[in-house]
Amino acid sequence: MATTRQPPPPPKDSESNLIAALEWPCLRQVNAGKATEHLTLDVSVSPNAKKTEAVGWHDGALRIRLQAPPVDGAANEALRRWIADQIGTPMANVLLERGQSSRRKQLALHAPTHSITAWLARLKESGTFED
């Protein structure tokens, strides 16, 4: 009697995070296997732009132009809001870990890995920038 081969189970979120971190240089897996597990996104930000958009890579970080000015945290809040909208998660799931007053920032993303990687893939496929 022939047995049918079952597809492998979908990867656990921890495995998905690791795969995403290996595929995208701007992503890192943090606290693997723990309740606080998340992905960290490295970004390089240019405030006061004509419009908010991702424009490419800069030294391993996602390069983002922000329309908001760098005054009283407005650019940080605009960055969090824009990324949350892009990956389809509440703004509360996008936290600024480092870089409160610098152009180089690290954001903790508490969202499904597939949402984050799908967004990065859309950016890459749109021709907005090259990897």
Side-chain angles (χ1 to χ4, degrees), residues 45-60:
V45 177
S46 295
N48 287 326
K50 289 184 180 182
K51 67 178 186 173
T52 299
E53 63 184 343
V55 293
W57 306 108
H58 178 73
D59 197 24

Side-chain angles (χ1 to χ4, degrees), residues 20 23-28 39-45 52-57 60-66 78-89 93-95 105-131:
E23 185 177 347
W24 299 99
C26 58
L27 286 177
R28 278 193 322 283
L39 289 174
T40 295
L41 177 67
D42 291 326
V43 296
S44 177
V45 177
T52 299
E53 63 184 343
V55 293
W57 306 108
L62 181 63
R63 180 86 167 155
I64 298 176
R65 291 186 184 141
L66 283 177
L79 175 65
R80 288 181 56 227
R81 184 176 298 107
W82 184 77
I83 289 178
D85 288 344
Q86 293 294 305
I87 62 176
T89 193
N93 292 346
V94 179
L95 305 173
K105 301 181 184 297
Q106 292 180 349
L107 297 149
L109 304 179
H110 297 274
T113 303
H114 64 85
S115 298
I116 299 165
T117 56
W119 168 59
L120 291 169
R122 283 193 309 271
L123 289 174
K124 185 177 177 181
E125 290 170 6
S126 71
T128 303
F129 56 88
E130 296 178 11
D131 55 359

Side-chain angles (χ1 to χ4, degrees), residues 13-15 17 29-39 110:
D13 204 39
S14 178
E15 293 172 11
N17 286 349
Q29 182 181 23
V30 178
N31 293 334
K34 298 181 182 174
T36 58
E37 179 177 337
H38 64 275
L39 289 174
H110 297 274

Side-chain angles (χ1 to χ4, degrees), residues 2-21:
T3 60
T4 58
R5 187 168 203 168
Q6 296 294 323
K12 296 177 185 174
D13 204 39
S14 178
E15 293 172 11
S16 297
N17 286 349
L18 180 60
I19 292 166

